[in-house]
């Protein structure tokens, strides 16, 4: 790449490091980073350092180390090669510098993306999560954990009453919608209020689990309520809302 007659101009700016200055010179003058005219780039770099001294700007050691590196690469490229060395493929003295510049450019691109994301985030204000109340589940009068505990006790009693090992048979299909209707029918039979365990009078283990899920769904729909008059008292299931008022 012939750049002997090309004029390079740049404004005297403050750079954070020598790689930033080199990238500025390369981008400003549209230099191919894979084919750097090292002599001209070195001259431009040294001119910038001289301008920094004239304006009493601090020239840190990192800038001077890079200047020495550029001069070393320049001298290596200017040395004549022996015939034996010319026949062999020799590593380009600029290769290490090119790799450092490419790595710096990738780092700069990532920094710009993160910076733009940070600028965008400044337009938003975060807040702590709100403690939103649960209106349907668990019931207002009874904690869901107590319901689960009561269901486990019912299951334990059923297993003790059975006293026989479970037979390996084909499972019967149970549907939550059907069990919801069964619970409603049981409530009708008990006058609109019944004990918790009355909803689990009979059935296999799988059927009782589906019945419990059906009860939770009825609570969620606000069709029934589950209540406990006092600590360790009997848990009861009753109609809720207008239907309960009609029965009273």
């Amino acid at each position: 790449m012939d750049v002997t007659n090309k004029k390079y101009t740049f404004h005297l700016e403050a750079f954070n490091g020598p790689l930033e200055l080199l990238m500025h010179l390369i981008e400003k003058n549209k230099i191919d980073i894979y084919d750097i005219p090292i002599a001209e780039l070195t001259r431009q770099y040294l001119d910038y350092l001289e301008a920094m001294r004239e304006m009493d700007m601090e020239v840190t050691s990192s800038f001077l180390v890079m200047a020495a590196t550029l001069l070393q690469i320049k001298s290596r490229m200017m040395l004549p090669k022996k015939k034996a060395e010319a026949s062999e493929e020799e590593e380009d003295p600029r290769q290490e510098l090119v790799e450092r510049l490419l790595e710096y450019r990738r780092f700069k691109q990532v920094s710009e993306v993160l910076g733009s994301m940070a600028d965008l985030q400044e337009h938003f204000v975060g807040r702590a999560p709100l403690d939103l109340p649960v209106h349907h589940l668990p019931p207002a009068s009874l904690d869901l954990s107590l319901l689960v505990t009561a269901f486990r006790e019912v299951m334990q009693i059923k297993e003790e009453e059975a006293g026989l090992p479970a037979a390996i048979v084909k499972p019967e299909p149970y549907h939550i919608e059907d069990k919801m209707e069964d619970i409603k029918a049981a409530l009708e039979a008990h006058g609109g209020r019944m004990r918790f365990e009355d909803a689990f009078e009979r059935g296999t283990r799988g059927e009782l689990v589906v019945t419990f899920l059906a009860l939770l769904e009825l609570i969620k729909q606000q069709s029934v309520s589950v209540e406990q008059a006092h600590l360790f008292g009997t848990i009861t299931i009753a109609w809720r809302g207008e239907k309960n008022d009609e029965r009273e």
Side-chain angles (χ1 to χ4, degrees), residues 74-219:
K74 177 183 175 182
S75 63
R76 288 177 59 188
M77 295 188 68
M78 293 178 64
L79 289 175
K81 298 180 182 179
K82 298 179 181 179
K83 291 183 179 180
E85 294 177 352
S87 60
E88 299 177 0
E89 186 176 352
E90 185 180 358
E91 183 181 355
D92 192 331
R94 302 169 295 180
Q95 184 60 36
E96 183 179 351
L97 177 63
V98 170
E99 291 176 357
R100 291 178 62 186
L101 287 169
L102 291 173
E103 183 179 1
Y104 174 79
R105 186 166 68 180
R106 287 192 293 269
F107 173 79
K108 184 179 179 181
Q109 290 171 346
V110 172
S111 299
E112 290 174 354
V113 172
L114 294 177
S116 62
M117 292 174 63
D119 293 339
L120 181 62
Q121 190 63 31
E122 290 180 356
H123 297 285
F124 300 92
V125 178
R127 62 182 299 178
L130 295 177
D131 187 15
L132 298 176
V134 179
H135 297 290
H136 307 314
L137 268 178
S141 58
L142 198 62
D143 190 86
L144 180 59
S145 61
L146 295 178
L147 265 184
V148 174
T149 301
F151 177 67
R152 286 175 178 170
E153 292 175 356
V154 170
M155 293 292 291
Q156 185 177 0
I157 293 172
K158 294 292 182 183
E159 290 174 0
E160 291 175 355
E161 290 177 350
L164 296 174
I168 302 176
V169 296
K170 183 179 180 180
E172 299 180 17
Y174 302 107
H175 302 286
I176 292 178
E177 292 80 5
D178 295 337
K179 292 303 175 183
M180 290 170 65
E181 295 300 324
D182 291 346
I183 294 174
K184 290 178 182 179
L187 273 174
E188 293 284 354
H190 287 81
R193 182 180 295 272
M194 64 181 180
R195 298 180 305 167
F196 179 81
E197 53 265 30
D198 290 339
F200 307 95
E201 289 184 348
R202 63 183 64 85
T204 63
R205 183 182 183 87
E207 185 177 2
L208 293 176
V209 171
V210 175
T211 302
F212 182 66
L213 295 176
L215 175 61
L216 295 181
E217 185 62 27
L218 287 172
I219 297 171

